[in-house]
Amino acid sequence: MLDDYLNWERYLITSEVDLPEEYQYQGRLYRLAPADRLYIAGMGGSGVVGDLIRDLSFVWGWPFEAVVVKDYFFRGGDGLMLAVSYSGNTVETITAAAAALRRGMPVIAITTGGKLAEMGIPTIKVPKASAPRAALPQMLTAALWTLRKIYGVNFDTPSSLPYDERLADRLVKTLGARPTIVAPVSMQGLAYRVKNEANENAKLDPSVEVLPEAHHNWIEGASGPIMAMTSPDIPAEHRTRVRLTVDLLSGEVFEVPMTVGGILTFLKHVGIATVKIALARGIDPLKTPRIDELKRRLP
Ligand code: F6R
């Protein structure tokens, strides 16, 4: 697993994806045209693709509203859906994609295979990794190239994600203390990914608080260590909120460029740090027995 994170750049998709302009599904015609609303369905390590696209679209003003769908139920109307599932077998994602198709909404799949790849909708197949969460570079860049093709959005295409041992060490210390991760709305997806990595790799339970809302409640109850996230790319209002939090309560601040390269470089370090924490605790970072058991117990 450590190898996957260390070699993340190898999995970046660096050229256009192949997509039709329209397709037939169960006798109905679907057109892949820009829509005001982009739904991104997916759970866990695949769902984070939607969270990060929402952050990126907010920061860079992309021409759609990104709506993350993390449920079986999909009641939205008018839009376009990306259904992201590493295995292609996640029941919530498949159910949401089927509901969107029934509503006449075009759906594009991003997966390594499974049932999603067999639905007969446009599918971008990505290379496998040791775990879904370790396949973030290929799933995120596949989604981004899809958006470039449909909406013409611009994004940076990093060719390397340089490793800095000191940043990894800082993250080991900070995340090992089970902090509250504090981030502004514009970095909410990134903060959730950090939490999820601490959950799944290190088997720890840090929490996430989002600003400005957390300044209206959480701040009064806050007591534990704080990991604060900020960026030169976010609005001044959001930066100020993060700074004021740390002025009042103190905390470790991590500054992350909200570019594709900046986000993936930071998350590579988070992956490595959470693997290191697991190994130091004598825990297998790769195995997620409770997630597996839950999936087994589902009807
Ligand atoms: C991450 C992980 C889970 C899965 C999630 C959904 O490594 O194992 O968070 O990503 O259970 O499964 P997929 O990604 O196959 O749709």
Side-chain angles (χ1 to χ4, degrees):
M1 183 165 219
L2 207 49
D3 265 8
D4 268 355
Y5 287 117
L6 285 166
N7 294 304
W8 255 16
E9 38 276 274
R10 281 197 207 149
Y11 296 96
L12 295 165
I13 295 171
T14 52
S15 57
E16 272 203 14
V17 290
D18 195 24
L19 282 172
E21 283 185 2
E22 54 184 39
Y23 65 95
Q24 294 264 352
Y25 175 77
Q26 297 189 346
R28 205 160 164 179
L29 186 69
Y30 296 81
R31 273 185 55 74
L32 297 182
D36 290 346
R37 201 162 293 151
L38 174 76
Y39 296 98
I40 313 120
M43 307 299 297
S46 300
V48 72
V49 171
D51 294 323
L52 293 174
I53 287 176
R54 193 180 48 195
D55 287 358
L56 284 164
S57 68
F58 176 95
V59 172
W60 302 112
W62 289 349
F64 51 79
E65 184 198 357
V67 181
V68 176
V69 181
K70 294 194 181 188
D71 196 3
Y72 304 79
F73 304 103
F74 176 70
R75 305 237 159 94
D78 273 1
L80 178 72
M81 180 183 274
L82 298 185
V84 188
S85 170
Y86 175 85
S87 63
N89 292 324
T90 298
V91 61
E92 298 95 315
T93 312
I94 294 171
T95 310
L101 287 162
R102 273 199 305 278
R103 287 165 174 258
M105 188 176 297
V107 180
I108 299 162
I110 296 174
T111 184
T112 61
K115 291 180 192 152
L116 198 57
E118 285 160 16
M119 280 177 77
I121 58 176
T123 298
I124 300 164
K125 277 214 182 180
V126 295
K128 289 197 172 168
S130 54
R133 56 193 176 280
L136 181 63
Q138 53 268 51
M139 291 195 287
L140 179 63
T141 49
L144 291 171
W145 282 101
T146 302
L147 299 182
R148 174 163 299 178
K149 179 122 191 170
I150 296 175
Y151 290 94
V153 298
N154 274 319
F155 54 88
D156 56 302
T157 49
S159 54
S160 74
L161 308 171
Y163 180 59
D164 173 358
E165 187 91 41
R166 278 165 316 171
L167 174 57
D169 289 346
R170 244 186 103 206
L171 284 162
V172 167
K173 262 206 205 110
T174 307
L175 286 169
R178 298 175 166 81
T180 302
I181 303 162
V182 180
V185 170
S186 46
M187 300 178 79
Q188 180 176 336
L190 187 62
Y192 276 113
R193 166 68 179 199
V194 175
K195 177 199 79 69
N196 292 350
E197 289 283 85
N199 295 150
E200 292 182 65
N201 291 342
K203 279 77 176 171
L204 291 179
D205 57 352
S207 56
V208 173
E209 288 291 339
V210 179
L211 303 173
E213 173 63 15
H215 278 175
H216 299 270
N217 33 65
W218 163 82
I219 192 121
E220 288 299 339
S223 57
I226 290 171
M227 170 177 176
M229 312 214 16
T230 191
S231 171
D233 301 316
I234 60 176
E237 290 87 338
H238 285 179
R239 286 183 62 83
T240 303
R241 291 284 176 165
V242 178
R243 185 175 48 74
L244 289 177
T245 309
V246 178
D247 284 354
L248 269 171
L249 302 177
S250 82
E252 273 297 301
V253 182
F254 290 83
E255 184 142 331
V256 183
M258 288 301 284
T259 56
V260 178
I263 288 172
L264 286 175
T265 300
F266 182 71
L267 289 177
K268 165 178 170 162
H269 289 79
V270 170
I272 291 166
T274 50
V275 167
K276 284 186 172 184
I277 295 171
L279 297 176
R281 300 177 71 214
I283 286 167
D284 185 341
L286 186 58
K287 291 202 177 114
T288 47
R290 292 183 187 165
I291 295 175
D292 299 346
E293 182 58 24
L294 268 164
K295 287 185 182 178
R296 259 195 301 276
R297 288 190 190 193
L298 280 171

